[in-house]
Amino acid sequence: MKTVIKKIDASNMSSEDFKEAAELLRAGKLVAFPTETVYGLGGNAYDSTASARIYAAKGRPSDNPLIVHISEFSEIEPLVSHIPEEARRLSDRFWPGPLTMILDKSDAIPKETTGGLDTVAIRMPSHPIANRLIKEAGIPIAAPSANASGRPSTTKAEHVIEDLDGRIDMIIDGGSSDIGLESTIVDLTVKPALILRPGYITLEMLREALPDIEYDRAVLKRTKDENIVAKAPGMKYRHYAPKGDLTIFEGDIDAVSGTIKKKVLEKLEAGHVVGVLTSDELAKRYSDITNARFIHGGSNAGSKENADARVFIYDIGSRENEAEIAAGLFDALRFFDEIKAEFIYAEGFTEGGLGQAIMNRLMKAAGYHIVEV
Ligand code: TXA
Ligand code: MG
């Protein structure tokens, strides 16, 4: 299949830009598009064949339900059996935006879209291209993250091309996703409401609207073998994982950087290619490692120059700036695949607020391989 790449400038777009994409979606075909969180792989949410195509293109297990995207609140009505008051409250505060709500589904949504469940996940993205695409298509758009199953989610069109070129009909290139981590998922079919996946909309923000909301226990899990089943089916799979062996080091930052440096030198000695995921605060502590290449997140990330380097020190941003770390995390994990890192050592970040979402993704990427130093 030939994948059409279509550039759209959000600050200067017209209906004409969306004509082909909207026609493809109405015909049951697949179009990847930018959202404020990550890129989505869209198909007609009412069409079970389109959903089947999404699972096939991603190589995703078909029991892992898709999020249905809408462009205004009234579009929720045909998708759900009833609208709880909490949904209106959350919508007033956080939609359009990086929040997904789980509600009881109507019969109009096929089980293929919801991975066999009687509930449906719904989100109203704020990205102008996503919003316009849904409007122009005139149908709700089922869209998981636009990555090959198991790989880090995609925050740029180039990432989508890496994973899905030749497997889908179109990719809309609208630049980088600002937030960089997937939406917060809230289950409103239980009381109290539960956060199934942490994201940019934090527990603290949600409590202003729903004071008794809690994390689902699976969100707080910190080891692989804790026997807790995730309520969001997607959260139980190995996810976001780079190909190399990723370990997170937590504790006092002097001890963390000291231990990472020792590990790097050991692996270097044994002839391996090593990656370090670090911050502005700790990056300089690795400056005396010979043959290392320093990458500052976003800028020259992804370029393959200096092929002689065996150690790649990737500075993702300041520990004080969680939004910057969130926005660059998946790009960093993909970078380590590109340079074929065999071992990757990451410093842990502070949990709470947006840090909860950052550590949730990083711990999954590491298969919960966390070392306290
Ligand atoms: O930010 C986002 O949410 C992005 C953009 C494209 O909107 N989408 C996204 O979709 O991250 P995906 O498919 O990668 O993740 C959806 C998650 C999965 O963990 C899935 O199991 C869960 O949502 N989910 C979907 N429907 C559900 C349901 N009815 N009940 C529980 N979990 C559900
Ligand atoms: Mg995903």
Side-chain angles (χ1 to χ4, degrees):
M1 182 189 300
K2 168 106 180 75
T3 303
V4 176
I5 315 283
K6 168 90 186 159
K7 254 195 187 334
I8 297 184
D9 175 358
S11 64
N12 180 22
M13 55 187 187
S14 69
S15 286
E16 189 54 32
D17 290 323
F18 291 90
K19 192 162 175 281
E20 191 181 354
E23 275 165 12
L24 285 168
L25 287 167
R26 284 192 295 267
K29 305 290 176 58
L30 305 187
V31 176
F33 59 97
T35 85
E36 70 279 20
T37 56
V38 297
Y39 271 69
L41 173 55
N44 180 355
Y46 288 138
D47 181 347
S48 56
T49 313
S51 294
R53 286 190 179 126
I54 290 176
Y55 290 109
K58 281 182 61 98
R60 174 169 177 145
S62 60
D63 68 345
N64 187 0
L66 309 177
I67 296 177
V68 178
H69 294 69
I70 58 175
S71 67
E72 54 187 281
F73 193 79
S74 61
E75 294 165 16
I76 206 173
E77 271 161 37
L79 310 177
V80 301
S81 64
H82 62 105
I83 304 175
E85 198 268 319
E86 291 90 336
R88 293 184 196 279
R89 232 189 291 164
L90 291 184
S91 160
D92 284 346
R93 252 177 211 255
F94 301 113
W95 274 2
L99 178 73
T100 296
M101 299 187 213
I102 310 289
L103 298 166
D104 290 315
K105 80 174 196 69
S106 72
D107 294 337
I109 294 290
K111 287 247 174 154
E112 284 78 3
T113 301
T114 62
L117 299 176
D118 294 323
T119 55
V120 59
I122 302 179
R123 178 162 107 79
M124 190 197 298
S126 64
H127 194 294
I129 292 176
N131 184 279
R132 185 72 175 261
L133 178 66
I134 301 163
K135 279 211 160 51
E136 298 280 347
I139 42 173
I141 307 291
S145 50
N147 52 286
S149 188
R151 293 208 74 204
S153 298
T154 50
T155 55
K156 302 173 173 178
E158 296 79 61
H159 298 162
V160 185
I161 294 169
E162 258 169 46
D163 282 19
L164 299 174
D165 191 28
R167 305 178 67 84
I168 62 176
D169 301 280
M170 183 184 265
I171 297 170
I172 297 178
D173 179 351
S176 299
S177 294
D178 289 340
I179 293 177
L181 298 180
E182 308 85 344
S183 62
T184 306
I185 302 180
V186 169
D187 186 354
L188 292 181
T189 68
V190 292
K191 283 194 193 303
L194 292 177
I195 298 174
L196 306 190
R197 181 173 71 183
Y200 187 82
I201 307 292
T202 62
L203 175 72
E204 296 75 14
M205 291 158 78
L206 288 162
R207 280 199 171 149
E208 288 174 23
L210 299 181
D212 57 355
I213 193 167
E214 304 275 1
Y215 283 123
D216 178 37
R217 283 179 60 218
V219 171
L220 301 173
K221 136 179 176 158
R222 295 184 64 87
T223 62
K224 194 158 65 196
D225 21 65
E226 261 173 78
N227 195 11
I228 304 169
V229 178
K231 287 194 64 207
M235 301 299 277
K236 75 181 178 227
Y237 294 107
R238 182 178 152 89
H239 213 310
Y240 313 116
K243 296 188 182 90
D245 183 343
L246 168 61
T247 309
I248 303 168
F249 292 88
E250 289 196 318
D252 168 75
I253 58 170
D254 291 324
V256 165
S257 54
T259 309
I260 289 179
K261 194 161 162 184
K262 195 166 138 257
K263 287 275 174 194
V264 168
L265 295 174
E266 266 168 40
K267 295 298 178 193
L268 199 53
E269 180 79 6
H272 295 293
V273 176
V274 193
V276 176
L277 181 63
T278 189
S279 58
D280 292 351
E281 287 80 359
L282 295 195
K284 41 189 151 325
R285 305 192 183 196
Y286 307 111
S287 58
D288 58 345
I289 297 177
T290 50
N291 228 350
R293 183 176 143 207
F294 285 77
I295 300 99
H296 200 279
S299 55
N300 57 346
S303 82
K304 287 175 186 147
E305 70 204 65
N306 189 3
D308 297 344
R310 312 286 300 167
V311 185
F312 296 80
I313 314 285
Y314 193 110
D315 173 359
I316 193 172
S318 169
R319 295 178 66 81
E320 305 289 314
N321 187 347
E322 290 184 326
E324 186 180 24
I325 294 171
L329 183 62
F330 291 141
D331 206 13
L333 294 177
R334 282 178 175 266
F335 173 79
F336 291 126
D337 280 351
E338 191 172 335
I339 53 103
K340 300 192 169 61
E342 298 168 82
F343 294 90
I344 303 157
Y345 301 116
E347 64 194 63
F349 296 94
T350 318
E351 285 168 88
L354 183 54
Q356 195 75 37
I358 294 167
M359 282 305 285
N360 172 269
R361 305 309 192 276
L362 191 57
M363 289 192 292
K364 277 175 177 294
Y368 297 96
H369 192 194
I370 305 161
V371 177
E372 296 291 335
V373 294

